[in-house]
Amino acid sequence: MFSRHLTKDISAYCHGELSSEDSKQFAEHIIACARCRTKFEEVKLGIKLAEQLPQLSAPDHLWHDLQPLLTNEPPQINLRSRRHPRIQLAAAAALLLIASASGLWLFNRPPSRPYWQVRRLDGTPRIGREGISNNGQLAIGQWLETDGSSRAQIAVGTIGNVDIDENTRVRLLETRATEHRLELARGKMSARIWAPPRLFFVDTPSAVAADLGCAYTLEVDDRGGGLLRVTSGWVALQLKDRESIVPAGAACETRPGIGPGTPYFEDSTTIFREALKKLNFENDSSALTSVLEQARSRDTLTLWHLLARVSEEDRVRVYEKMAAFTPPPAGVTREGVLQLDQKALESWRHALESTWMIMGGKGVFKK
Ligand SMILES: [Zn+2]
């Protein structure tokens, strides 16, 4: 198994029908292989659509995601007119198109298990009001809670596991083929996920963490502020249209109402990190001077994220500092970067990623 492309296994993977070992190998292949990853995204979308079809209440973003796949569709079918009677036809047509394009039959599969297995590590963790002595099951909507002397481990389907530290409250929000979602209300968890990007999410009071194939810890304090520390792979932190992409060795703080700050490497100088905190969360733009003075070559991770978050004047200073370390690649102009042209920023980021990696890890990719 797995000596070639894995398109035949995508559906089985999405429905939790592969063994843990095969799932892990599958995920590693998907992370490395653009061709299978594209197919995987298509199948994921098809399954999502199949799940939505009976009630026909797919969210707008789903239609938005779908449209690029439907470029060959006759233009008279308007997917956005959701109240139109023809929507049923359009949705069915879209589903069939995806199913046939994938060469897969997506209907009539049993749903994946609607709960997660929980194992006691220490003390007496509780699911709802029940203490668990050895193993328990966490169903959708249920809270798992630990006190000062208990810890637990959750198996996230076949894609990984999450350790829950002391004094932590988590709730299972969703578990299905295309999305696993946990809420971390307070405390600390460590996740190790072997899955293609953006299958496992953690909601916190001040940002959503999206797994991009990785291991990380996430902490939430009593005021809803968060701290993400990534030990391998990548994690994206999001609140509305603000996104921070955090590689191994880096951390990122989040605050309610603000969302994720800029990520920073944990081996950056103390002065750098303290100035960054002022810049991110105290609206103190004078702190940029210290950030720029203290920045090393790999701190372009922080500077790249700052480009879109500082004033136009300050953006020029950030640009100059970055360009002195690693000039933008061919085809990316100073003007493009300063105007925050999305393509220019992405290309520069790809060029910088090698300086952000520990021991030549894999680069991040678009979803
Ligand atoms: Zn492949």
Side-chain angles (χ1 to χ4, degrees):
M1 199 174 186
F2 295 141
S3 53
R4 305 169 61 194
H5 289 298
L6 303 182
T7 43
K8 283 203 184 80
D9 298 309
I10 294 175
S11 188
Y13 175 85
C14 286
H15 290 88
E17 293 165 3
L18 297 182
S19 69
S20 309
E21 187 52 33
D22 287 348
S23 289
K24 191 173 152 182
Q25 287 184 29
F26 175 89
E28 282 170 356
H29 180 89
I30 292 287
I31 288 167
C33 173
R35 181 170 147 187
C36 288
R37 199 161 61 240
T38 304
K39 272 279 185 265
F40 170 74
E41 292 297 338
E42 286 171 17
V43 172
K44 217 166 80 169
L45 189 61
I47 292 172
K48 259 190 198 168
L49 193 58
E51 287 168 348
Q52 303 273 1
L53 202 54
Q55 70 255 31
L56 285 173
S57 60
D60 281 335
H61 71 82
L62 186 61
W63 300 120
H64 183 259
D65 286 348
L66 190 62
Q67 276 172 325
L69 293 175
L70 297 176
T71 44
N72 298 327
E73 277 292 276
Q76 68 268 24
I77 296 178
N78 180 5
L79 286 171
R80 285 199 173 273
S81 62
R82 289 160 61 193
R83 277 183 225 100
H84 196 282
R86 261 198 303 175
I87 187 63
Q88 196 152 7
L89 186 63
L95 180 61
L96 286 173
L97 186 78
I98 290 168
S100 63
S102 313
L104 291 162
W105 191 244
L106 300 166
F107 303 92
N108 301 323
R109 291 297 194 96
S112 46
R113 280 164 301 179
Y115 56 82
W116 288 351
Q117 296 289 350
V118 177
R119 190 162 68 87
R120 182 188 79 93
L121 294 178
D122 272 318
T124 311
R126 283 181 303 138
I127 293 177
R129 290 184 182 170
E130 297 285 309
I132 52 172
S133 49
N134 257 322
N135 297 298
Q137 291 181 347
L138 186 65
I140 290 173
Q142 279 188 312
W143 288 95
L144 168 64
E145 194 160 3
T146 54
D147 60 17
S149 57
S150 56
R151 293 188 310 123
Q153 185 174 74
I154 300 173
V156 183
T158 55
I159 67 168
N161 52 49
V162 173
D163 283 5
I164 305 299
D165 273 23
E166 292 90 351
N167 295 315
T168 297
R169 249 168 86 75
V170 294
R171 180 161 64 141
L172 176 55
L173 295 178
E174 184 68 86
T175 179
R176 54 185 195 188
T178 51
E179 180 181 314
H180 303 279
R181 190 175 287 265
L182 198 62
E183 175 183 351
L184 173 63
R186 99 173 121 71
K188 183 176 177 184
M189 52 162 270
S190 311
R192 285 167 303 279
I193 301 296
W194 299 101
R198 294 180 202 275
L199 262 193
F200 179 65
F201 299 87
V202 181
D203 289 5
T204 78
S206 50
V208 176
D211 169 87
L212 305 176
C214 60
Y216 63 92
T217 66
L218 189 56
E219 286 174 66
V220 171
D221 64 27
D222 290 336
R223 288 164 301 163
L227 172 65
L228 167 78
R229 304 175 71 185
V230 180
T231 44
S232 83
W234 296 81
V235 177
L237 276 176
Q238 241 167 338
L239 184 74
K240 294 176 191 152
D241 56 358
R242 174 179 276 217
E243 185 175 61
S244 292
I245 297 171
V246 190
C252 189
E253 292 184 45
T254 66
R255 290 285 187 282
I258 299 175
T262 42
Y264 55 87
F265 280 107
E266 299 207 75
D267 62 0
S268 56
T269 69
T270 312
I271 300 171
F272 179 86
R273 294 197 304 275
E274 277 169 8
L276 190 63
K277 198 178 276 197
K278 285 184 185 154
L279 193 59
N280 278 325
F281 304 122
E282 293 165 28
N283 234 339
D284 178 0
S285 58
S286 71
L288 181 64
T289 303
S290 294
V291 169
L292 294 177
E293 273 170 15
Q294 294 280 321
R296 309 156 304 163
S297 169
R298 70 195 300 239
D299 295 324
T300 47
L301 168 72
T302 303
L303 303 185
W304 183 86
H305 281 83
L306 281 178
L307 281 170
R309 301 182 189 183
V310 295
S311 68
E312 266 178 59
E313 256 169 72
D314 285 344
R315 190 173 305 141
V316 177
R317 297 167 64 200
V318 175
Y319 174 88
E320 299 296 349
K321 184 74 184 186
M322 289 179 69
F325 287 126
T326 308
V332 176
T333 63
R334 185 178 198 271
E335 290 65 39
V337 173
L338 293 178
Q339 285 162 19
L340 301 180
D341 174 74
Q342 217 44 45
K343 270 204 178 129
L345 291 175
E346 295 272 315
S347 311
W348 202 3
R349 191 187 79 201
H350 288 306
L352 288 164
E353 276 172 5
S354 61
T355 64
W356 302 346
M357 298 303 164
I358 298 172
M359 315 282 274
K362 297 184 194 98
V364 75
F365 34 78
K366 293 182 69 181
K367 73 167 176 170

